[in-house]
Amino acid sequence: EGELTVAMANAQNTVVRAYELRVTLPEGARDIDVKLPFAGQALLQPTKYYFDSVGRTVVVITHENIAPAMSSRHILVSYSYAPLTLWMKPAVVAAALFMLFMLASAASRMQYGLASSAKKPSNAASKAAKKQAAAGKTD
């Protein structure tokens, strides 16, 4: 369970015509609840960043014509967060590195070139063939 309290930031003694606040929650946050001290809009936008496995939620809060007296109020965003999701990002990075090393290992074992793909006999096989040929000539 997580809670985030955000103060509305604006300059003192100024009126703001269009106010937008974006709060990016951690990856895997669910059961999101937004409590606004005014009649504004709170939209939940799913967003994906690099190495995210399930993505994260961005809470977009908009309000029109904010008076200076409203700037002292706080916005409360609460969400639940499973402890297992802490290991999601390291697992994704480890899997990506493992796949990269496996690909590099497979690429290093491949032979590149225009030579014939017929296998040359090994040294032991060629020695045995020479011995047979020599034995056949002496008989």
Side-chain angles (χ1 to χ4, degrees):
E1 183 81 18
E3 281 190 359
L4 177 67
T5 304
V6 180
M8 294 176 57
N10 65 339
Q12 290 183 343
N13 299 328
T14 58
V15 175
V16 178
R17 288 187 186 195
Y19 182 80
E20 180 178 287
L21 174 68
R22 292 177 169 267
V23 180
T24 303
L25 298 177
E27 184 178 13
R30 59 183 198 277
D31 301 330
I32 301 164
D33 184 35
V34 180
K35 292 187 173 117
L36 301 174
F38 48 80
Q41 269 191 325
L43 301 171
L44 302 178
Q45 292 181 344
T47 307
K48 246 184 148 154
Y49 294 109
Y50 295 108
F51 291 114
D52 276 355
S53 54
V54 294
R56 44 186 85 223
T57 304
V58 177
V59 179
V60 180
I61 300 166
T62 56
H63 189 61
E64 303 290 326
N65 297 328
I66 295 179
M70 292 178 70
S71 63
S72 63
R73 296 183 182 176
H74 294 284
I75 299 167
L76 179 69
V77 179
S78 60
Y79 57 92
S80 62
Y81 189 72
L84 188 59
T85 56
L86 285 172
W87 294 99
M88 251 194 287
K89 188 169 297 258
V92 168
V93 170
L97 286 174
F98 178 75
M99 292 303 294
L100 179 70
F101 287 130
M102 292 303 291
L103 183 66
S105 174
S108 69
R109 294 176 188 265
M110 295 175 78
Q111 292 182 1
Y112 303 103
L114 300 174
S116 172
S117 64
K119 286 189 169 185
K120 294 180 182 177
S122 66
N123 285 339
S126 65
K127 285 180 183 178
K130 285 180 184 179
K131 282 184 183 180
Q132 269 186 342
K137 286 183 184 178
T138 58
D139 288 338

